[in-house]
Each structure stands twice: as structure tokens, then as C-alpha cells.
């Protein structure tokens, strides 16, 4: 089981999923219309390391963080 954290303005409680790859996590999150929008613009980190491939393998206990874009001055 992996923990999915939603940072910043997403304001969603952590989610626990059985997932072998980030593609599994993306498939689960895409079922939520609000999350679909965020997934298009968020960076993703696995155990605090940025990743870009949905083929990234996951292990039991991994932490996935969705990092929305930030703007400021």
C-alpha cells in the first residue's frame, strides 16, 4: 500500500492505495473529476524525489506527493 499526499491548494486528505506503478495511482485518481484537472499540471514525487514516468515502480510504504504549480512574486 502506498500513501498519496496532496500538497498546497489541492486540500484533499491523504489517500492509501494498492499500486505497483504510478500509472496505477494515476488511474485511481483520474476517476475523480476534480483530481483529473490537478493531474495535468502537478509535479509528482516518490519518497521526496521528483519523477516523470508513469512506469515508475512503487513499493509497499512509498509516499507519493502531488505538487501543484506555485506562482508568486
Amino acid at each position: 500500500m502506498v500513501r498519496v499526499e496532496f500538497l498546497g491548494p489541492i486540500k484533499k486528505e491523504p489517500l492509501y492505495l494498492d499500486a505497483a506503478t504510478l500509472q496505477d495511482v494515476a488511474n485511481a485518481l483520474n476517476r475523480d473529476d476534480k483530481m483529473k484537472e490537478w493531474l495535468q499540471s502537478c509535479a509528482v514525487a516518490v519518497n521526496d524525489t521528483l519523477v516523470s514516468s508513469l512506469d515508475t515502480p512503487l513499493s509497499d510504504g512509498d509516499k507519493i506527493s502531488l505538487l501543484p504549480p506555485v506562482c508568486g512574486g
Side-chain angles (χ1 to χ4, degrees):
M1 188 158 300
V2 299
R3 175 184 167 109
V4 183
E5 295 182 340
F6 306 94
L7 303 179
I10 299 175
K11 297 184 181 176
K12 186 172 175 75
E13 291 297 315
L15 180 65
Y16 294 88
L17 299 170
D18 286 319
T21 66
L22 278 181
Q23 183 65 62
D24 296 334
V25 174
N27 291 344
L29 295 177
N30 271 316
R31 292 185 199 120
D32 179 335
D33 288 335
K34 190 178 280 188
M35 286 309 305
K36 274 185 189 181
E37 294 176 31
W38 283 114
L39 290 176
Q40 294 175 13
S41 61
C42 285
V44 178
V46 176
N47 298 323
D48 300 323
T49 300
L50 289 175
V51 296
S52 59
S53 173
L54 290 176
D55 294 328
T56 301
L58 300 174
S59 299
D60 192 38
D62 280 350
K63 177 181 75 170
I64 294 89
S65 301
L66 269 64
L67 307 139
V70 178
C71 60

